Amino acid sequence: MSNPIVKKNTEVWKSGVAKSITFIVTKDCQLACKYCYLVGKNDKERMSWDVAKKAIDYILSHEQDFTEASVVWDFIGGEPFLEIDLIDRICDYIKTEMYRLNHHWFNSYRFSFSTNGINYDSDKVQNYILKNKDHISIGITIDGTKAKHDLNRIWKGDGLERGSYDDVVRNIPLWLAQFPDGATKVTISSADIPYIKESVLHLYSIGIHEVNINCVFEDVWKEGDDKLFEDQLIELADAIIDNRLYNDYACSFFTERLGKPLDCVLDNGNWCGAGKMLSIDAAGNFYPCTRFAQYSLRNKKAWIIGNVYDGIDKNKLRPFLTLDRCTQSTEECINCEEAEGCAWCQGENYDAADTDTIYQRSTAICKMHKARVRANNYYWNKLFAKLEAEGQREEYYKNKKTISNESC
């Protein structure tokens, strides 16, 4: 089944102005990815229609508390498409209620998914996509080459560590036919650093033009990983530039705004959106983002800010609204000469902190960020020299493909 749907996923829809509301529809998944931050996945916690309806009713009836001009209704798991029947019912109800209430989100919304892609071609998923084609964004996670993908993204339960690459890649042509500018998200952990270059090039070769790629925030990095990482990125930079792939392809590891000092007055925003987002789980609990739900935490208790029955407790939400770069960073981070673009996850900050605080920034990713900065400098110096020599710099910027630098 193929339904041509022309959608551009290259920019995050209404980035910075849309409210993000996430339904954790299931904690189940067909896979047991080794780097997954969802440490408490299971096949028992599945959202009921009653909880979903109560969440929607609460949100849409408190329009004064959700004043953003637009909304992204996000669905995650586990694997969200395992609950496609529930999702279909949720989306139908959202649309009819926004219309009935003449809600200001009525014609400014998206349904968003990040899926492992395994059952993307099922009739139910395809019918859902066709029905919502004007208001939908879908990303399929494929990690690169078969070797890299199968290293971490394995089927759960049979003890054989069977990789899922073949089960995902078969659906990439259908996905790209429907979302020609579809982007994928690649995760890097210590074990798969040697596969970075060949994996990005492989994803380009199967038709994916935008690769959003990031290192995990958890403290998994070994001695020497940063040097291996830098070497891989430099090799990737050479391949992209020497083969002129920069004209048609993008990789989020290379961005011009990276690795400069930041000012605590002018550049003091919070990297993470926790607190401005809202997540709902199967029990009907509200969270400042998914990473504060219990199944996302290794060491800490869930940070619940309310529920579908009693609403949002603004006192429990208030600490998140005061977060910025300098209130949670060490002096070393604040004064770092390469601070720009160094990301953090608020949930990982909380989980890794010495106490139950969200004001202690985790720095496990520091050396990987600095390695990326060095490789990024190499990339842009080489590219600019090439463009200048060929008289193409102005033309490059005219046709440059802007990508979203996803990091969390």
Side-chain angles (χ1 to χ4, degrees), residues 42-212:
N42 64 80
D43 60 4
K44 296 179 176 59
E45 295 180 77
R46 302 164 69 179
M47 184 173 285
S48 68
W49 164 245
D50 182 62
V51 165
K53 182 179 182 300
K54 281 184 169 60
I56 298 163
D57 289 342
Y58 172 80
I59 292 164
L60 294 183
S61 66
H62 286 75
E63 196 168 357
Q64 72 278 6
D65 293 329
F66 301 93
T67 58
E68 292 85 352
S70 306
V71 62
V72 175
W73 303 95
D74 190 31
F75 298 90
I76 69 166
E79 167 50 42
F81 283 143
L82 289 175
E83 293 295 326
I84 187 60
D85 290 333
L86 174 64
I87 289 170
D88 191 27
R89 189 176 183 185
I90 287 172
C91 293
D92 283 350
Y93 186 68
I94 286 172
K95 289 182 289 186
T96 56
E97 284 298 285
M98 288 194 302
Y99 175 78
R100 184 182 69 82
L101 296 167
N102 193 27
H103 198 282
H104 73 277
W105 287 340
F106 168 63
N107 204 32
S108 190
Y109 69 92
R110 282 289 185 275
F111 299 133
S112 177
F113 300 83
S114 181
T115 172
N116 61 33
I118 288 172
N119 63 341
Y120 182 85
D121 61 341
S122 70
D123 287 344
K124 287 185 177 181
V125 172
Q126 287 299 303
N127 288 335
Y128 169 85
I129 291 171
L130 183 60
K131 182 163 70 173
N132 295 283
K133 62 183 180 182
D134 294 326
H135 293 276
I136 194 168
S137 300
I138 299 178
I140 291 181
T141 299
I142 181 168
D143 255 3
T145 61
K146 180 176 173 61
K148 181 191 179 322
H149 184 100
D150 286 351
L151 185 68
N152 283 308
R153 301 187 68 80
I154 59 173
W155 284 87
K156 73 170 184 181
D158 60 12
L160 299 178
E161 290 208 354
R162 291 187 300 116
S164 60
Y165 175 87
D166 292 337
D167 305 285
V168 177
V169 76
R170 66 182 176 83
N171 284 325
I172 296 300
L174 172 59
W175 172 58
L176 290 176
Q178 296 172 330
F179 299 89
D181 292 291
T184 193
K185 187 175 182 181
V186 177
T187 301
I188 303 297
S189 61
S190 179
D192 49 24
I193 292 173
Y195 300 94
I196 293 174
K197 172 197 167 185
E198 63 182 34
S199 288
V200 173
L201 297 179
H202 174 72
L203 293 172
Y204 291 167
S205 75
I206 62 174
I208 299 172
H209 284 247
E210 179 182 337
V211 177
N212 292 307

Side-chain angles (χ1 to χ4, degrees), residues 156-390:
K156 73 170 184 181
D158 60 12
L160 299 178
E161 290 208 354
R162 291 187 300 116
S164 60
Y165 175 87
D166 292 337
D167 305 285
V168 177
V169 76
R170 66 182 176 83
N171 284 325
I172 296 300
L174 172 59
W175 172 58
L176 290 176
Q178 296 172 330
F179 299 89
D181 292 291
T184 193
K185 187 175 182 181
V186 177
T187 301
I188 303 297
S189 61
S190 179
D192 49 24
I193 292 173
Y195 300 94
I196 293 174
K197 172 197 167 185
E198 63 182 34
S199 288
V200 173
L201 297 179
H202 174 72
L203 293 172
Y204 291 167
S205 75
I206 62 174
I208 299 172
H209 284 247
E210 179 182 337
V211 177
N212 292 307
I213 186 167
N214 60 275
C215 297
V216 299
F217 291 101
E218 290 78 13
D219 189 7
V220 301
W221 306 108
K222 301 174 183 175
E223 186 70 29
D225 277 352
D226 52 336
K227 181 62 170 65
L228 294 173
F229 182 49
E230 181 181 354
D231 291 345
Q232 277 289 300
L233 292 189
I234 287 175
E235 290 181 23
L236 176 60
D238 287 336
I240 291 173
I241 295 170
D242 294 347
N243 294 288
R244 301 181 185 274
L245 298 176
Y246 51 82
N247 287 321
D248 298 305
Y249 300 91
C251 174
S252 62
F253 268 150
F254 303 123
T255 176
E256 289 179 85
R257 293 186 59 81
L258 182 73
K260 300 178 179 64
L262 291 176
D263 186 284
C264 262
V265 175
L266 300 177
D267 306 294
N268 197 30
N270 190 26
W271 180 277
C272 179
K276 298 177 181 178
M277 303 181 282
L278 181 67
S279 292
I280 310 109
D281 71 1
N285 291 317
F286 288 144
Y287 303 93
C289 91
T290 303
R291 290 295 297 256
F292 287 85
Q294 195 62 64
Y295 83 141
S296 299
L297 297 168
R298 305 178 305 277
N299 306 309
K300 300 288 169 56
K301 291 183 179 180
W303 193 306
I304 298 172
I305 60 169
N307 57 64
V308 299
Y309 308 101
D310 304 316
I312 295 173
D313 184 336
K314 294 182 180 178
N315 284 327
K316 293 180 179 177
L317 180 62
R318 187 169 289 116
F320 292 87
L321 305 182
T322 65
L323 283 165
D324 56 39
R325 188 174 73 91
C326 290
T327 57
Q328 58 188 303
S329 298
T330 64
E331 284 298 317
E332 181 181 1
C333 291
I334 291 171
N335 298 319
C336 178
E337 292 296 310
E338 300 163 307
E340 188 170 17
C342 186
W344 60 86
C345 165
Q346 214 65 54
E348 176 59 19
N349 287 358
Y350 170 61
D351 207 15
D354 298 328
T355 62
D356 292 342
T357 180
I358 56 173
Y359 291 96
Q360 182 178 325
R361 178 173 167 185
S362 172
T363 57
I365 203 171
C366 174
K367 68 178 184 179
M368 304 303 286
H369 169 71
K370 291 179 178 179
R372 179 190 170 196
V373 168
R374 295 190 295 270
N376 188 68
N377 291 341
Y378 173 88
Y379 175 90
W380 290 104
N381 286 334
K382 179 170 181 172
L383 178 59
F384 286 162
K386 179 183 179 70
L387 294 173
E388 288 285 359
E390 297 175 352

